Amino acid sequence: MWLKLAALLTRPATKYVFIALALVFPLVAQNEYQIYVMASAFVWAIAVYGLNIITGYCGQLNLAHGGFFALGAYTLGLLTADYSWSYWPAFVAALAMTAVVGFFVGIVSLRLKEHYFAIFTLCVGFIMYMLMDKWEELTHGPVGVRNIAPPNGFGLVDFTETTPIYYLVLVFLMLTMWFIGRLSRSLLGRTFTAIRNGDELAQSLGINLMRNKVLAFVLSTTFAGLAGALYAGMVRFIGPEDANVLHTFDMITYLLVGGIGTLSGPLVGTIGIVWLTQSLQFMEEYRMILFGPLLVFLVIFFPRGIVGSFLSWLHRRTQGKAEAAAKAQQSRDTTGRRVNNNA
Amino acid sequence: MLRIENLTKMFGGLAAVKDISVEFEANQVNAIIGPNGAGKSTFFNLVAGSHKPSSGRIIFDGEDITTLRCDHIAQRGVGRTFQTTNLFEQASVLDNLIVGHRLRTRSGLWDVLVNSRRLQQEEKLSREKAREALDFVGLSHVENRFIADITQEERKRVAFALAMATDPKILLLDEPAAGVNPEETDGLAQLIRKMKDHGLTVCLIEHKMDMIMGIADKIMVLDHGEKIAEGAPEQVREDPAVIEAYLGSDDDAAA
Amino acid sequence: MNILLQNLINGLTLGSIYSLVALGLTLVYGILHIPNFAHGALYMVGAFMTYFFMVDLGAHYWIAMLGSGAVVAALGVLCERLVFHPLRHSPPIHDKIAAIGILLFLEALVQMLWGADFRRMSSPFTGVMNIQGLIIPEQRALIIAGAAVLVVGLQLFLRRTMTGSTILAMAQNREGAFLVGIDANRVAMMTFAISGMLAAFAATLYAPINLVYPAMGHLVIMKAFVIIIIGGMGSIPGAVIGGMIIGFTEALGGFYLSNDYKDVIAFALLVVILSIRPQGLFTKGAH
């Protein structure tokens, strides 16, 4: 009974139910604030999807992710506020900026193995933070950037309102998930996963390590930039604190809680934790007292997070049942039902 | 098939592999034996391109591959397995194997975005290759199980299948029978023979002498990075230099 | 001329502190292959413990330093037992994330108990030494001397005592050490204790000329990572030399280039070095 119910969740049709829920959410929300919180959770989820590409699929812990998020936000903010670009060209420029910087950081940092890569990216993220904080002529320093243009609705919609921006962010989230879903099932996604299993093994399979790692890294930083640009257009005020490494740690927590390397994990983890911290107001400041031990607990006992653990459980159960059935019938032609591991 | 000329690898001031010349012929099972630290694994790493030799040449199928990167060497048809193969534990056996044929496919990011015909065809092909390889190693019945749920011996076979899915001409197997019981060792030996019957060339490092004597067409013995003997199993077994090398070290005395 | 000398003294002071922090980090890396991101938090807790013993309990500076060393050493051991030991067979990404978890927890805890304010901590050594026009505050002299004593002491401990040599043996060859019957658990706990103690001592030495606040470990730990990458991860002399390199570059760069960007210098140096030599400055070849 539970098994059947659980298996329903992995059906392709289930996603339409969730899309419908997301679409009606602003109608059932009790106030505007809830819509706003949900929209910001979606923005973070997009960034976490980016992190999942390089850290989840490819297995390289990137600690500069928050820096790239801020880079996207700053590119958009400065272009619209100081150089009077309109939103959408600046949006494209923000994506291009994070992709290009990601490419150059990638070709240097991805030659480094495991720990070195993590430490190197930690330093890169910090350099980004320092530049935003100290390079006052360009970034306004600690004061931050004000008067950022909202997304241009061409007179049709007003994106300074909460509900329209919610739907805008939702559209980008769905595009992101659609792309990542396709990526993770493709040969390219499998190539990334092979790299996570080990550099040596991947190379013995004829995989070009550098090219694939750099591609994964650029994809991940571009999604960080996309999230950053949406964030800047939504809050319309940014500062160097947006590049604080704590945001990277937040995103790692979302990813780990939801399920690293899974397709719906980033969304589940982000929405879950964002709402948890929102509902416990006092936690805003001290959330790390719970997050810290939570991270430790997860990597020790549930390294695959909510979604990963659920899928493993489901797979074992259906597989076990299928094999038992096959044995009972003593026939070779019954094969186990496959659970789509990409759910 | 695979010709090694004066191959040397220095680490710091020490020679891990010293001036080895040898030729492995096509469609044979070749074994490399020697005490621990004799340079066997380094030799494999040199052939597969993980290490670059300090001097010497490696000729594979008439082509000089000495300076090629590992992934290019793999594309030329050199497959390999490792002593331990790190697979994705929480994914099915088949899912782990599909990437094996990736090197014979070309679709990239753009194909993913537009879901191109090429991508669909190549994914189908890779899946077929994975099934074929799984069938070859006799594991079709566990294709949907998680890697975490299969036995040690089945893991070894999955690692073989992964290498097989790359469509190699030669397979380098690093201690394929380490950590499995005698019965399973026989099974793996049969599998290696089957590879040979299918036209593959096999090169293996192994400590289990009985297994090697049973399947190898040719044996090369290394000691302290140098080749001290080479030839048919019976020949090598009687070689005084080999006996000396093995008696001189505690390792493998029992083998 | 005098200004240069003054800056060199400043560089030596900074270098001494960095070396002590980096030593703890490199020891843990050498033995357990964990890049302990929580090390900066241990440093921070060290400063707060000394503050607590001195200000709240009225202990003398030296007593407070010893007390803080003991508490942080115990904390290090606790981390090893509760977190890193259970993760010893996990993929390497897991202990990094766990270390980050410890860091977040300790920082939030300290912030909850003491608040996020910046605090001053005084030490009995407030005087100034004047050597022919060269001004050296006593606390800075103490830092330099204290660090020298600790480095020499650590060397003696590692080379001359049985426990020390087992640690060195395990750093050089984990499997080998296991085979000759070294108790790996004991060595791991010992290493974490030493590492924590060094961090606490460094924080206590440095705090009187700096400020005490929950985020004080951030920059220090990142610089310590830069140092051990430059010096070769796991190398003890490398940590000291790397610490001095960063200390001097920062003091001189902060003065002659730009004070605003002095904190970036270390990271820029790392980026340049790793771009040219991905394996670090002092490590030989690839493994």
Side-chain angles (χ1 to χ4, degrees):
Chain A
M1 167 62 198
W2 283 110
L3 197 60
K4 272 183 187 160
L5 214 60
L8 268 184
L9 276 175
T10 60
R11 286 279 181 80
T14 313
K15 67 171 174 272
Y16 297 110
V17 177
F18 283 102
I19 292 173
L21 282 177
L23 284 175
V24 299
F25 178 76
L27 307 176
V28 297
Q30 281 154 5
N31 51 44
E32 205 172 310
Y33 181 69
Q34 287 188 340
I35 305 176
Y36 184 81
V37 169
M38 199 54 148
S40 58
F42 287 170
V43 169
W44 286 112
I46 293 175
V48 177
Y49 272 106
L51 185 63
N52 198 19
I53 300 177
I54 187 72
T55 301
Y57 294 124
C58 243
Q60 317 288 318
L61 184 61
N62 171 20
L63 295 177
H65 205 67
F68 282 100
F69 178 90
L71 179 66
Y74 262 84
T75 307
L76 185 122
L78 291 173
L79 284 176
T80 59
D82 289 1
Y83 300 90
S84 45
W85 286 38
S86 81
Y87 185 87
W88 295 111
F91 181 83
V92 175
L95 295 191
M97 180 65 121
T98 43
V100 170
V101 175
F103 175 76
F104 285 109
V105 170
I107 53 175
V108 174
S109 62
L110 290 159
R111 291 189 302 165
L112 310 169
K113 302 274 172 259
E114 285 170 10
H115 304 319
Y116 285 74
F117 176 78
I119 294 165
F120 186 94
T121 50
L122 183 69
C123 293
V124 168
F126 187 73
I127 290 175
M128 288 181 177
Y129 166 76
M130 287 293 274
L131 287 178
M132 286 163 200
D133 192 46
K134 305 279 187 196
W135 192 358
E136 298 197 5
E137 303 85 55
L138 181 73
T139 65
H140 308 283
V143 186
V145 188
R146 289 161 195 282
N147 302 321
I148 299 170
N152 189 343
F154 304 104
L156 300 170
V157 250
D158 179 7
F159 283 119
T160 56
E161 297 275 334
T162 307
T163 307
I165 199 111
Y166 170 88
Y167 284 112
L168 182 74
V169 171
L170 179 62
V171 167
F172 278 104
L173 175 67
M174 290 198 304
L175 284 175
T176 303
M177 291 181 71
W178 168 83
F179 170 76
I180 306 274
R182 187 163 263 189
L183 176 73
S184 68
R185 278 186 294 268
S186 75
L187 279 175
L188 190 59
R190 292 179 191 278
T191 312
F192 293 165
T193 322
I195 292 174
R196 175 180 55 191
N197 290 342
D199 285 355
E200 218 182 12
L201 179 65
Q203 277 186 312
S204 81
L205 298 175
I207 289 168
N208 184 334
L209 270 189
M210 259 324 255
R211 186 197 294 167
N212 283 290
K213 280 187 186 177
V214 170
L215 179 61
F217 192 71
V218 169
L219 282 175
S220 93
T221 61
T222 309
F223 278 110
L226 167 67
L230 287 170
Y231 173 81
M234 190 166 102
V235 302
R236 300 179 57 204
F237 161 69
I238 52 174
E241 279 311 304
D242 291 318
N244 195 317
V245 68
L246 283 179
H247 291 302
T248 306
F249 295 161
D250 274 334
M251 288 190 265
I252 291 173
T253 312
Y254 300 159
L255 184 57
L256 226 71
V257 168
I260 192 165
T262 61
L263 189 54
S264 43
L267 187 65
V268 171
T270 310
I271 293 184
I273 300 248
V274 166
W275 278 104
L276 192 73
T277 40
Q278 282 298 327
S279 56
L280 304 165
Q281 272 298 325
F282 73 94
M283 275 185 55
E284 191 62 41
E285 199 176 342
Y286 301 118
R287 63 186 190 280
M288 292 307 179
I289 286 193
L290 281 183
F291 281 16
L294 180 67
L295 276 179
V296 174
F297 176 81
L298 281 170
V299 290
I300 295 178
F301 298 106
F302 295 98
R304 297 207 71 219
I306 297 172
V307 174
S309 305
F310 169 74
L311 287 176
S312 297
W313 171 81
L314 189 65
H315 180 96
R316 292 232 165 85
R317 290 298 303 268
T318 42
Q319 192 56 33
K321 275 198 168 182
E323 277 179 17
K327 252 183 201 160
Q329 291 183 5
Q330 287 294 321
S331 63
R332 286 190 160 268
D333 49 351
T334 41
T335 49
R337 246 190 312 160
R338 257 179 52 81
V339 171
N340 193 346
N341 194 50
N342 288 309
Chain B
M1 182 80 185
L2 181 65
R3 198 168 77 243
I4 311 291
E5 296 174 356
N6 309 99
L7 197 65
T8 299
K9 175 69 186 179
M10 310 286 288
F11 284 119
L14 294 168
V17 165
K18 206 187 292 174
D19 199 27
I20 294 182
S21 296
V22 70
E23 182 150 7
F24 294 129
E25 279 171 36
N27 202 14
Q28 290 209 330
V29 174
N30 306 282
I32 299 163
I33 62 168
N36 279 341
K40 301 174 304 255
S41 290
T42 310
F43 179 76
F44 263 17
N45 283 333
L46 290 169
V47 174
S50 307
H51 292 329
K52 290 291 154 239
S54 309
S55 63
R57 296 206 306 158
I58 303 163
I59 319 280
F60 175 65
D61 242 5
E63 185 190 3
D64 187 339
I65 58 164
T66 318
T67 55
L68 290 184
R69 236 182 22 222
C70 339
D71 50 311
H72 289 147
I73 291 177
Q75 279 162 5
R76 300 287 190 288
V78 179
R80 73 183 295 201
T81 65
F82 300 87
Q83 284 177 27
T84 47
T85 306
N86 222 349
L87 294 164
F88 184 14
E89 300 281 319
Q90 305 295 328
S92 73
V93 171
L94 187 67
D95 271 328
N96 267 284
L97 291 178
I98 290 172
V99 74
H101 204 62
R102 172 63 172 150
L103 76 175
R104 311 271 172 236
T105 65
R106 306 191 48 81
S107 49
L109 185 61
W110 183 248
D111 298 275
V112 174
L113 273 171
V114 302
N115 199 14
S116 69
R117 263 183 90 82
R118 174 166 79 175
L119 181 67
Q120 291 173 3
Q121 279 168 354
E122 287 182 351
E123 277 171 4
K124 201 164 148 249
L125 175 71
S126 300
R127 194 172 282 271
E128 278 164 14
K129 281 287 173 188
R131 285 226 166 86
E132 239 170 65
L134 205 52
D135 187 49
F136 186 89
V137 300
L139 284 185
S140 289
H141 59 286
V142 297
E143 79 167 40
N144 288 325
R145 268 204 223 154
F146 277 174
I147 296 288
D149 301 337
I150 61 176
T151 65
Q152 188 62 29
E153 185 244 5
E154 284 169 337
R155 274 169 193 256
K156 293 262 171 196
R157 286 174 182 260
V158 171
F160 284 4
L162 189 56
M164 294 283 294
T166 65
D167 268 355
K169 293 177 188 152
I170 188 169
L171 262 176
L172 311 177
L173 310 175
D174 197 347
E175 296 201 29
V180 302
N181 69 33
E183 265 169 61
E184 293 167 341
T185 303
D186 287 345
L188 292 175
Q190 273 175 23
L191 184 57
I192 292 170
R193 237 179 252 126
K194 187 173 164 193
M195 289 174 181
K196 178 184 160 187
D197 294 342
H198 276 70
L200 274 166
T201 310
V202 177
C203 249
L204 74 155
I205 294 174
E206 191 47 76
H207 284 300
K208 295 185 174 169
M209 278 316 164
D210 293 346
M211 172 184 178
I212 290 184
M213 292 299 166
I215 58 172
D217 297 300
K218 177 181 186 171
I219 296 178
M220 169 167 83
V221 190
L222 298 186
D223 189 27
H224 294 105
E226 289 180 85
K227 183 174 86 176
I228 56 167
E230 119 178 55
E234 312 77 49
Q235 243 173 307
V236 167
R237 204 203 301 256
E238 310 297 327
D239 196 309
V242 178
I243 297 166
E244 168 71 17
Y246 272 85
L247 290 179
S249 82
D250 298 3
D251 301 311
D252 313 299
Chain C
M1 187 56 208
N2 232 340
I3 291 178
L4 178 67
L5 265 180
Q6 204 74 59
N7 277 316
L8 287 178
I9 297 281
N10 287 349
L12 193 58
T13 319
L14 275 178
S16 301
I17 296 296
Y18 291 162
S19 299
L20 288 182
V21 180
L23 268 176
L25 198 60
T26 215
L27 271 179
V28 167
Y29 187 82
I31 305 284
L32 299 150
H33 286 261
I34 301 166
N36 188 6
F37 288 104
H39 194 64
L42 294 181
Y43 168 86
M44 180 269 301
V45 171
F48 269 93
M49 285 325 292
T50 306
Y51 181 89
F52 173 72
F53 285 130
M54 274 179 78
V55 177
D56 295 324
L57 301 186
H60 187 266
Y61 181 68
W62 294 115
I63 305 291
M65 186 189 272
L66 286 179
S68 165
V71 170
V72 179
L75 191 59
V77 173
L78 208 62
C79 292
E80 198 281 326
R81 279 292 97 185
L82 291 182
V83 180
F84 296 114
H85 185 71
L87 283 172
R88 64 200 181 285
H89 299 306
S90 301
I93 199 170
H94 288 179
D95 24 76
K96 277 178 282 201
I97 294 175
I100 289 171
I102 298 175
L103 152 85
L104 296 175
F105 172 70
L106 288 177
E107 246 181 68
L109 188 70
V110 166
Q111 189 172 335
M112 196 166 85
L113 295 176
W114 277 283
D117 311 340
F118 293 75
R119 287 151 194 272
R120 287 207 166 278
M121 189 172 94
S122 56
S123 88
F125 306 95
T126 49
V128 166
M129 296 195 291
N130 190 331
I131 307 171
Q132 294 179 346
L134 184 67
I135 312 262
I136 307 174
E138 279 178 8
Q139 186 68 30
R140 283 186 185 266
L142 179 71
I143 290 175
I144 296 167
V149 168
L150 284 170
V151 168
V152 172
L154 181 70
Q155 277 299 326
L156 287 178
F157 169 74
L158 290 175
R159 307 245 168 236
R160 295 287 157 80
T161 67
M162 195 55 204
T163 323
S165 39
T166 49
I167 292 180
L168 277 187
M170 203 168 137
Q172 272 147 16
N173 185 344
R174 276 178 99 177
E175 281 82 39
F178 193 65
L179 286 178
V180 297
I182 287 177
D183 181 354
N185 283 335
R186 216 172 75 94
V187 172
M189 286 193 280
M190 202 63 179
T191 310
F192 264 92
I194 294 172
S195 159
M197 193 147 53
L198 286 173
F201 287 164
T204 310
L205 285 171
Y206 195 40
I209 57 168
N210 212 301
L211 294 165
V212 179
Y213 55 101
M216 65 187 279
H218 286 180
L219 268 178
V220 176
I221 179 69
M222 281 199 260
K223 283 176 191 164
F225 270 123
V226 172
I227 289 161
I228 69 169
I229 286 185
I230 291 176
M233 287 172 84
S235 153
I236 292 172
V240 178
I241 296 169
M244 289 302 165
I245 291 179
I246 296 294
F248 282 114
T249 339
E250 228 179 88
L252 297 177
F255 187 79
Y256 292 104
L257 295 176
S258 149
N259 196 39
D260 269 356
Y261 288 106
K262 71 172 194 295
D263 287 330
V264 179
I265 295 172
F267 306 113
L269 200 65
L270 177 82
V271 170
V272 171
I273 288 172
L274 286 184
S275 308
I276 302 164
R277 276 181 70 88
Q279 66 276 42
L281 215 49
F282 295 119
T283 38
K284 295 187 211 88
H287 284 281

